[in-house]
């Protein structure tokens, strides 16, 4: 099985008032938004792709479905409910979330 077809339900929140916060809420549909997740307590960047989700205001929580991008990367921490992570764009932490 390849990682690129595995999908996970997550709850996410994009920061509203941090220095590196996004100016607008990202499009969580159509595989357009492809940030990295960094599981809290680790340093590894895990490439993900949002495939479905609602648009809400920055600072609000919403649910979304993500898909793993890369094969041969260990995404196993993202398969455990309640795993918490940061959402990064490059070196900028723009949000956080948890696996549902």
């Amino acid at each position: 099985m390849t990682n690129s077809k595995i999908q996970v339900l997550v709850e996410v929140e994009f920061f509203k008032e941090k220095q590196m916060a996004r100016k607008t809420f990202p499009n969580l549909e159509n595989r357009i938004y492809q940030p990295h997740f960094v599981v809290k307590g680790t340093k590894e960047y895990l490439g993900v792709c949002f495939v479905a989700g609602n648009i809400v205001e920055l600072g609000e929580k919403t649910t979304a479905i993500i898909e793993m991008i890369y094969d041969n990367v260990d995404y196993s921490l993202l398969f455990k409910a309640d795993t918490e992570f940061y959402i990064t764009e490059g070196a900028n932490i723009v949000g956080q979330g948890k696996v549902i």
Side-chain angles (χ1 to χ4, degrees):
M1 179 187 306
T2 62
N3 286 332
S4 62
K5 299 301 178 195
I6 297 172
Q7 295 185 345
V8 175
L9 182 64
V10 295
E11 178 183 76
V12 294
E13 172 189 4
F14 290 89
F15 298 133
K16 179 178 180 179
E17 298 181 11
K18 284 194 154 209
Q19 181 180 6
M20 294 177 264
R22 293 181 54 86
K23 302 286 187 238
T24 60
F25 196 86
N27 183 342
L28 302 183
E29 297 184 341
N30 301 324
R31 295 178 165 77
I32 293 170
Y33 185 54
Q34 298 184 356
H36 287 91
F37 284 2
V38 178
V39 173
K40 291 183 179 181
T42 72
K43 295 181 180 181
E44 186 174 1
Y45 282 65
L46 302 171
V48 299
C49 177
F50 280 83
V51 297
N54 298 316
I55 295 176
V56 296
E57 296 294 322
L58 292 173
E60 294 181 8
K61 294 179 181 178
T62 188
T63 56
I65 298 172
I66 59 154
E67 191 170 271
M68 312 309 153
I69 293 178
Y70 304 111
D71 293 333
N72 303 320
V73 171
D74 182 7
Y75 287 95
S76 61
L77 290 175
L78 293 180
F79 305 149
K80 299 175 185 171
D82 296 322
T83 295
E84 296 182 340
F85 54 83
Y86 294 109
I87 304 167
T88 66
E89 295 175 0
N92 297 333
I93 298 173
V94 298
Q96 64 185 355
K98 71 176 183 176
V99 177
I100 296 179

